[in-house]
Amino acid sequence: MTLTVLTDDQISGLVSNLTKEELQRFMGVLRGALHEYSTATTVPSKENAAATAAPEIHQPERTSINSKATGATTLFMPSSSSVGTGMKVVTLTSPSAEGDEDARPKENIKPTGAITLFSPHGTPLGFLHASTLTAFRTALASLLLISKRDPSSHLKTITVFGTGAQAYWHIRLSLLLLGQHIHQVNILSRSFSPPVSSLLKSFLTCPNREKEGWENTQFSVLTPAHNEYERLLKEQLLESDVIICCTPSTKPLWDGGILTSHEGRQKGRLIVAIGSYKPDMQEIPQEVIQQALKRHHHGVGGKHHWHWHKHAEEGGVVVVDTLDGALKEAGELIRAGCRPEMLVEYVCFFVCHS
């Protein structure tokens, strides 16, 4: 068998020029893969219409190691099914190293690594650079949720924390699919650094703005250096329809009271957080999660009960990729005291909203 090797530039070239129709096909493929993972059943397709047997899916919990030499964390993520085996290895700067002079890296290590694919018999089939692919795939999963919102009224303003590849792809795919409905994109960063300028320039100079329908979309950048940062941050959060968090933060990115106050609860928002991969990491204030999971008076006699995923449009649950992984690794959920019944995996959400 031929071994396929794809560099980061090659992968970037492939996904950077997608049409809206191609993006929607990617979304369908990912939705099917999530269904297959969560239910261990094969979703029949045109290419595999006769598929009925359940694949043997094994996805052990990912493991990690920390390097004292670099202060970085390396994650190992294996997965196997009836069609083959894959191993993803990614190295990135550990947030715990930021306050440790001995472990602090000489330079910030952006997420980088590779995915190795094998046939069911163990023959190597592919070796893919993981940087762009990881950011693209994560944003694609988020887009499955973002696209469920009413674009005419609940997608006008998007606020993004972060300026790296994850932030770029979350904004880029949202604009490609729903750009004609998005009026404002707010970007929040710790400082106005070269990556911020590069991120902003990539959208302001994008040649496809008019063709994709977002030529009138406005962009702004806000950093703590602004003398009215707290006021503007509050305004942007209150105006947001979607908030996307793409940082390796170990503390909440904003004061939870902004969105749990009476003023903050006047409108519903989708909050997407992808940064936490350790229990000590946190992007969303725990009170925001607890507010979303509060019990409501419904049913006979006004008894309390949880809003399950069938009523997700009213809130009441947190949508996650995997229940076990989220409860062990997502610091926000751990701090908020989330239990399994308060979470729902992607596939259950989409089954109830298809």
Side-chain angles (χ1 to χ4, degrees):
M1 294 184 177
T2 302
L3 175 65
T4 300
V5 178
L6 293 178
T7 67
D8 195 49
D9 286 342
Q10 289 173 319
I11 293 173
S12 180
L14 290 171
V15 298
S16 294
N17 297 297
L18 295 177
T19 64
K20 183 175 181 178
E21 291 71 26
E22 290 170 334
L23 175 59
Q24 290 172 325
R25 286 199 291 271
F26 267 113
M27 292 172 66
V29 170
L30 180 58
R31 189 180 293 110
L34 290 169
H35 183 282
E36 193 170 306
Y37 169 77
S38 292
T39 64
T41 57
T42 301
V43 181
S45 64
K46 293 181 180 179
E47 295 77 17
N48 191 23
T52 56
E56 298 178 0
I57 297 178
H58 303 282
Q59 186 160 314
E61 294 181 14
R62 64 184 178 188
T63 58
S64 65
I65 58 173
N66 298 311
S67 170
K68 291 184 178 180
T70 65
T73 296
T74 297
L75 305 171
F76 300 86
M77 296 161 274
S79 182
S80 178
S81 74
S82 59
V83 298
T85 300
M87 169 64 86
K88 178 179 176 182
V89 181
V90 174
T91 297
L92 69 167
T93 296
S94 172
S96 59
E98 293 178 0
D100 187 343
E101 292 293 341
D102 294 330
R104 184 174 296 173
K106 294 181 180 179
E107 60 178 326
N108 182 50
I109 301 174
K110 297 179 180 179
T112 187
I115 299 172
T116 307
L117 303 175
F118 305 88
S119 74
H121 302 289
T123 303
L125 299 177
F127 188 76
L128 289 67
H129 199 292
S131 292
T132 296
L133 187 58
T134 296
F136 174 83
R137 189 269 309 153
T138 305
L140 193 67
S142 299
L143 195 62
L144 294 178
L145 292 173
I146 295 171
S147 64
K148 285 293 183 179
R149 294 182 66 79
D150 179 0
S152 63
S153 58
H154 296 132
L155 272 175
K156 294 180 179 179
T157 302
I158 294 179
T159 295
V160 181
F161 288 86
T163 59
Q166 292 283 5
Y168 169 79
W169 281 107
H170 274 79
I171 297 171
R172 183 68 190 94
L173 296 188
S174 296
L175 290 172
L176 175 56
L177 185 68
L178 301 159
Q180 68 271 30
H181 303 290
I182 300 173
H183 299 173
Q184 178 72 39
V185 175
N186 303 315
I187 300 170
L188 290 103
S189 174
R190 289 179 297 181
S191 63
F192 201 92
S193 58
V196 179
S197 300
S198 178
L199 179 66
L200 195 58
K201 183 179 179 181
S202 68
F203 296 115
L204 296 180
T205 62
C206 179
N208 297 327
R209 293 184 68 175
E210 186 172 355
K211 181 175 68 174
E212 295 172 3
W214 51 278
E215 68 274 16
N216 295 320
T217 300
Q218 300 297 307
F219 296 83
S220 72
V221 174
L222 179 64
T223 75
H226 196 291
N227 57 9
E228 292 193 83
Y229 174 75
E230 295 298 335
R231 179 183 67 81
L232 293 174
L233 173 62
K234 179 179 179 180
E235 286 184 1
Q236 291 186 2
L237 289 173
L238 291 175
E239 292 170 359
S240 297
D241 298 297
V242 178
I243 299 172
I244 303 173
C245 307
C246 306
T247 75
S249 180
T250 56
K251 59 182 180 180
L253 297 175
W254 68 88
D255 177 4
I258 295 175
L259 297 185
T260 58
S261 66
H262 177 72
E263 183 182 14
R265 295 168 59 193
Q266 292 302 301
K267 65 184 292 185
R269 299 172 187 83
L270 171 64
I271 302 177
V272 176
I274 60 94
S276 297
Y277 58 90
K278 289 184 177 181
D280 63 340
M281 299 175 72
Q282 182 180 16
E283 294 181 293
I284 306 175
Q286 69 184 58
E287 55 264 46
V288 172
I289 296 176
Q290 291 168 340
Q291 177 65 49
L293 293 172
K294 272 191 173 181
R295 297 185 179 190
H296 300 270
H297 290 282
H298 287 285
V300 179
K303 292 183 178 180
H304 289 295
H305 74 85
W306 291 105
H307 280 276
W308 306 111
H309 57 267
K310 290 185 178 180
H311 305 287
E313 69 274 10
E314 299 175 25
V317 294
V318 177
V319 181
V320 298
D321 47 5
T322 67
L323 292 178
D324 292 341
L327 287 172
K328 291 179 180 179
E329 297 178 342
E332 293 93 341
L333 304 186
I334 295 172
R335 285 180 172 85
C338 289
R339 301 189 300 274
E341 65 267 23
M342 301 174 188
L343 311 180
V344 58
E345 292 186 343
Y346 270 103
V347 63
C348 296
F349 178 86
F350 291 121
V351 166
C352 293
H353 289 75
S354 59

